[in-house]
Amino acid sequence: MENHSQNGTEAPLKVSTLNCIDLSNPDIHQSVSLLKQACLDCGFFYVINHGISQEFMDEVFAQSKNLFHLPLNEKMKLLRNEKHRGYTPVLDELLDPDNQVHGDYKEGYYIGVEVPEDDPDAEKPFYGPNVWPEDGVVPGWRQTMEKFHHEALEVAKAVARVIALALDLDVDFFDKPEMLGKPIATLRLLHYEGQVSDPSKGIYGAGAHSDYGLITLLATDDVMGLQICRDKDAKPQIWEYVAPIKGAFIVNLGDMLERWSNCIFKSTLHRVLGNGQERYSIAYFVEPSHDCLVECLPTCKSEDNPPKFPPIRCATYLSQRYKDTHAELSVYNNHQT
């Protein structure tokens, strides 16, 4: 870990102070103000009273553990496909190639928007049928994950409405059909097996990265591990832990929203360091529809601040980002025989 001082004694952990947005707060102006401050500052904040019960969150975590506790040969039967659905083994993902010796010391499971194979939309890169374990292998697993996928999307839409107001847009700006009306929404279960990270040796639970899309909701267990870097250009970079809060989502902005807002709102570098304890988390990545054109928002440009990026289709942008960070599927051919 990198919180050691030069004389070898343990330095105190630096824990970030983040704003907390209460989605049940009737004072929307206060929520907008807190969120705007967070988005200008570090792009990370907590969301509480979001409408998903603690009882159900506990069930989702329990079912996540049930899957990851399966033998590796069972999990490899569920290996992710070219649509990024299914199981991702340890070291599959390499998020920070300049600093990581290997891939991330985590295993994961992708679940996207369920689209039947015979539906024309299944041709799109991030749509299609999911990879599900057989019900006898992990009973009730699919039903739990589909329910969570649906409920988390409603939370994301509620957060997006506050973001819209913070950007001086109409409250329903992101609710349009071409945006979150037909979103690319991906649930990812994550399991860190208890590896001790050592940045000096290039060993990380998850390498430093910023998220690709619009926003990410993250639920975690009570094991500390997530760190953020408010200024990626600082030398040396200063990393702060984000403390887990029971029942809260940690929400962060993705690169797409930074691009959309002409860099007014921040997408922040973050990573996971393992401390030897097992850790489980559940990430929910939310992006607009495939055909959504991401171009500078009207409220984020002026003569003095012209658009910094050309327009780009959402699907084009995301496909490239996924390709850049995941292993080629052919490396797993021996596991599938």
Side-chain angles (χ1 to χ4, degrees):
M1 305 272 302
E2 48 182 56
N3 290 292
H4 287 267
S5 60
Q6 287 180 327
N7 63 8
T9 58
E10 185 84 6
L13 297 180
K14 185 171 175 57
V15 178
S16 194
T17 303
L18 300 180
N19 284 356
C20 190
I21 316 300
D22 183 345
L23 288 184
S24 69
N25 185 356
D27 185 351
I28 189 67
H29 297 293
Q30 183 186 40
S31 296
V32 169
S33 174
L34 284 168
L35 181 139
K36 188 169 188 174
Q37 184 185 33
C39 294
L40 293 170
D41 175 35
C42 68
F44 270 78
F45 50 93
Y46 296 107
V47 164
I48 60 170
N49 294 325
H50 42 66
I52 301 180
S53 72
Q54 187 59 51
E55 184 182 21
F56 182 54
M57 288 303 307
D58 291 344
E59 182 188 329
V60 178
F61 272 98
Q63 285 285 37
S64 173
K65 289 178 184 179
N66 289 341
L67 181 105
F68 289 125
H69 286 169
L70 291 174
L72 182 60
N73 65 331
E74 285 292 329
K75 291 184 283 193
M76 290 305 286
K77 293 175 186 174
L78 305 165
L79 183 69
R80 70 173 167 90
N81 57 27
E82 67 287 343
K83 293 287 189 90
H84 291 281
R85 308 297 178 91
Y87 176 67
T88 56
V90 174
L91 306 182
D92 177 77
E93 195 171 11
L94 183 65
L95 290 167
D96 185 12
D98 292 340
N99 293 304
Q100 283 180 272
V101 177
H102 307 293
D104 291 355
Y105 280 91
K106 67 177 192 293
E107 54 181 348
Y109 204 96
Y110 281 116
I111 301 163
V113 176
E114 180 75 22
V115 177
E117 229 165 334
D118 56 0
D119 188 309
D121 273 352
E123 296 297 312
K124 295 177 178 176
F126 296 94
Y127 275 6
N130 281 299
V131 175
W132 299 109
E134 290 177 20
D135 204 46
V137 177
V138 197
W141 199 84
R142 174 173 179 169
Q143 292 83 348
T144 298
M145 296 307 161
E146 287 189 321
K147 181 183 175 189
F148 181 73
H149 196 290
H150 173 75
E151 291 194 9
L153 182 58
E154 293 310 306
V155 177
K157 286 179 178 178
V159 173
R161 290 178 196 117
V162 186
I163 290 173
L165 293 172
L167 287 166
D168 297 319
L169 300 164
D170 291 338
V171 66
D172 60 354
F173 179 84
F174 293 110
D175 285 325
K176 296 171 188 166
E178 69 272 21
M179 294 193 191
L180 297 184
K182 286 191 78 174
I184 300 170
T186 305
L187 168 60
R188 194 170 188 204
L189 310 173
L190 294 163
H191 175 218
Y192 301 85
E193 293 183 319
Q195 177 89 16
V196 177
S197 296
D198 187 342
S200 67
K201 294 180 179 170
I203 297 171
Y204 298 87
H209 65 286
S210 52
D211 289 350
Y212 319 145
L214 187 66
I215 57 173
T216 304
L217 310 180
L218 182 75
T220 75
D221 61 14
D222 57 3
V223 177
M224 199 97 85
L226 175 65
Q227 293 186 323
I228 64 173
C229 174
R230 291 169 186 259
D231 181 2
K232 64 174 181 280
D233 299 318
K235 297 279 189 284
Q237 290 177 337
I238 296 167
W239 290 91
E240 306 170 10
Y241 278 97
V242 176
I245 294 182
K246 184 85 169 170
F249 280 114
I250 299 163
V251 182
N252 65 282
L253 311 184
D255 296 343
M256 194 181 289
L257 187 54
E258 181 173 277
R259 183 179 180 127
W260 230 332
S261 71
N262 215 20
C263 297
I264 291 171
F265 280 4
K266 287 179 67 172
S267 171
T268 293
L269 209 57
H270 53 285
R271 68 186 188 186
V272 174
L273 293 192
N275 63 4
Q277 291 177 274
E278 252 192 321
R279 179 174 178 270
Y280 290 87
S281 64
I282 298 166
Y284 190 76
F285 302 101
V286 183
E287 283 86 44
S289 76
H290 288 76
D291 296 322
C292 181
L293 195 66
V294 178
E295 57 184 333
C296 185
L297 295 166
T299 56
C300 297
K301 60 185 177 183
S302 63
E303 278 187 36
D304 298 331
N305 187 26
K308 295 176 173 62
F309 307 98
I312 189 168
R313 270 182 75 247
C314 176
T316 307
Y317 172 78
L318 282 180
S319 295
Q320 188 56 50
R321 293 294 300 270
Y322 270 83
K323 187 170 178 288
D324 290 343
T325 54
H326 287 75
E328 291 290 334
L329 282 171
S330 57
V331 304
Y332 299 118
N333 283 349
N334 290 342
H335 284 278
Q336 294 179 295
T337 53

